[in-house]
């Protein structure tokens, strides 16, 4: 068995209908895999940290080190270069390379397309453009050193390694025995579609068809990756956005009562923080405070939920409609 490199988009998984956390779960099922090795970012709120355990996919950790210091050095270098005309010119070239990469990963990108040689060549070109503009080292957040160390830690590891898309071309060069997944015949299915629906509902835009979104959410039964309580919580956010506090509270309370230990780990925190806000907006301050504290007392809650709960404790939440 070889080492298979499966690309990851990080938080951008929430924006891609055909390459989201549900799509990755379905791809792993297609490959017959129930365990993955984690070679992606250290963000605890990464979408796959919810989806994979909920889908009974085990994550093997311990290979990715803490590179926060490299981010700090990168920021220091940018500040230094801003002081000189030639430095600003190099920063503009780097920004252009990063813009090309951003266009690649924010345009519609199915998972199978992300593994295509044309896309990987574009990714490699953008990464090389950044390296040429700022040099290997602080300018690239020590990319080559980081990937070389990761490759050394992998040793003779086999199975599926989850890696950021922009790291994938370099890792293929550093790991001669590694390969891209054979996804011929793979098509995103219901898990991917349902995850895309929930992701869309959590991130409302001014021109969204809110009634259509609600109808779609209400029709679904949910699954392991996107359970019914999450669909209720997402629907509650739409009702809250239009000032329908009563329905939002009903849905959130139903979602809270439907929570179980085997569901995505971010869901309790998100649900309770939002429920606290709705109770606050209805003038039920004491119960809202208890709900905020319950969110903060969870063993794990995503940063956005913790911040919302703490803000609600500090200052009563008030609904403001534009």
């Amino acid at each position: 068995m070889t080492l298979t490199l499966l690309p990851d988009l990080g938080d951008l998984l929430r924006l891609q209908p055909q390459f989201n956390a549900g799509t990755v779960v379905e791809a792993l099922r297609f490959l017959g895999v129930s365990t993955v090795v984690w070679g992606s970012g250290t963000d605890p709120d990464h979408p796959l940290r919810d989806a994979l355990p909920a889908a009974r996919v085990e994550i093997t950790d311990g290979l990715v080190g803490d590179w926060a210091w490299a981010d700090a050095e990168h920021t220091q270098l940018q500040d230094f270069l801003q002081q000189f005309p030639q430095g600003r010119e190099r920063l503009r070239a780097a920004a252009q390379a990063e813009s090309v990469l951003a266009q690649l990963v924010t345009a519609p990108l199915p998972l199978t397309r992300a593994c295509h040689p044309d896309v990987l060549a574009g990714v490699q070109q953008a990464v090389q453009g950044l390296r040429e503009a700022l040099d290997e080292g602080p300018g690239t957040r020590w990319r080559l050193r980081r990937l070389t160390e990761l490759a050394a830690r992998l040793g003779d590891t086999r199975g599926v390694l989850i890696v950021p898309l922009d790291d994938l071309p370099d890792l293929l060069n550093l790991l001669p025995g590694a390969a891209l997944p054979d996804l011929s015949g793979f098509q995103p299915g219901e898990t991917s579609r349902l995850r895309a629906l929930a992701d869309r509902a959590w991130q409302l835009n001014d021109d969204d068809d809110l009634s259509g979104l609600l109808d779609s959410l209400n029709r679904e039964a949910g699954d392991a990756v996107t359970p019914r309580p999450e669909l209720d919580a997402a629907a509650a956010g739409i009702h809250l956005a239009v000032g329908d506090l009563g329905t939002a509270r009903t849905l959130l309370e139903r979602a809270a009562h439907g929570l179980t230990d085997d569901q995505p780990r971010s869901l309790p925190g998100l649900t309770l923080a939002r429920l606290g806000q709705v109770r606050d907006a209805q003038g039920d301050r004491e119960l809202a405070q208890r709900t905020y504290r319950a969110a903060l007392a969870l063993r794990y809650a995503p940063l956005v939920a913790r911040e919302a709960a703490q803000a609600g404790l500090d200052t009563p939440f008030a609904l403001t409609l534009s």
Side-chain angles (χ1 to χ4, degrees), residues 81-151:
L81 292 176
Q82 286 283 7
Q83 301 176 37
F84 308 100
Q86 289 183 334
R88 290 193 291 272
E89 184 176 336
R90 294 177 68 181
L91 288 174
R92 282 192 292 270
Q96 177 60 33
E98 291 176 331
S99 175
V100 170
L101 182 58
Q103 290 174 18
L104 281 171
V105 297
T106 56
L109 184 68
L111 172 56
T112 50
R113 175 68 180 158
C115 297
H116 193 276
D118 289 350
V119 171
L120 294 180
V123 169
Q124 183 72 344
Q125 184 177 0
V127 169
Q128 183 60 29
L130 178 64
R131 184 177 290 132
E132 290 173 354
L134 298 181
D135 298 327
E136 180 61 40
T140 63
R141 296 179 173 86
W142 297 95
R143 175 190 294 273
L144 185 57
R145 174 178 166 184
R146 173 174 58 81
L147 295 181
T148 301
E149 289 185 11
L150 175 60

Side-chain angles (χ1 to χ4, degrees), residues 234-321:
I238 298 175
H239 285 283
L240 180 60
V242 298
D244 183 1
L245 293 172
T247 304
R249 180 168 180 167
T250 297
L251 287 169
L252 286 166
E253 288 176 343
R254 185 168 76 188
H257 285 118
L259 295 173
T260 60
D261 291 340
D262 59 351
Q263 290 172 350
R265 64 175 189 165
S266 69
L267 187 53
L270 293 171
T271 301
L272 291 174
R274 180 60 60 81
L275 179 56
Q277 290 177 328
V278 172
R279 287 169 168 170
D280 236 353
Q282 288 186 315
D284 201 344
R285 179 60 177 165
E286 183 178 350
L287 185 56
Q289 289 175 313
R290 293 207 301 267
T291 309
Y292 293 139
R293 292 191 182 100
L296 292 171
L298 292 169
R299 185 174 61 179
Y300 169 79
L303 179 61
V304 64
R306 295 196 305 272
E307 289 179 342
Q310 187 59 58
L313 280 178
D314 296 339
T315 305
F317 176 81
L319 183 63
T320 301
L321 297 176

Side-chain angles (χ1 to χ4, degrees), residues 34 52 56 59 61-62 67 83 85 90 114 126 151 154 175 179 208 225 231 249 277 312 315:
S34 59
L52 296 184
R56 302 293 187 271
I59 299 174
D61 275 307
W67 289 84
Q83 301 176 37
R90 294 177 68 181
L154 285 166
L175 298 165
D208 281 338
V225 173
L231 299 173
R249 180 168 180 167
Q277 290 177 328
T315 305

Side-chain angles (χ1 to χ4, degrees), residues 21-22 25 46-57 195 224-225 264-265:
V25 166
H46 191 294
L48 291 179
R49 292 292 184 174
D50 264 6
L52 296 184
R56 302 293 187 271
V57 176
R195 186 64 253 161
V225 173
R265 64 175 189 165

Side-chain angles (χ1 to χ4, degrees), residues 132-207:
E132 290 173 354
L134 298 181
D135 298 327
E136 180 61 40
T140 63
R141 296 179 173 86
W142 297 95
R143 175 190 294 273
L144 185 57
R145 174 178 166 184
R146 173 174 58 81
L147 295 181
T148 301
E149 289 185 11
L150 175 60
R153 289 194 187 102
L154 285 166
D156 58 356
T157 300
R158 297 294 179 264
V160 172
L161 176 70
I162 304 289
V163 297
L165 177 62
D166 55 325
D167 286 348
L168 202 157
D170 281 334
L171 276 176
L172 284 172
N173 291 328
L174 290 168
L175 298 165
L180 294 170
D182 182 2
L183 295 174
S184 53
F186 171 74
Q187 291 290 336
E190 286 300 295
T191 296
S192 180
R193 182 190 64 80
L194 191 58
R195 186 64 253 161
L197 172 63
D199 287 340
R200 191 73 196 83
W202 283 115
Q203 303 174 59
L204 298 179
N205 295 320
D206 291 340
D207 57 350

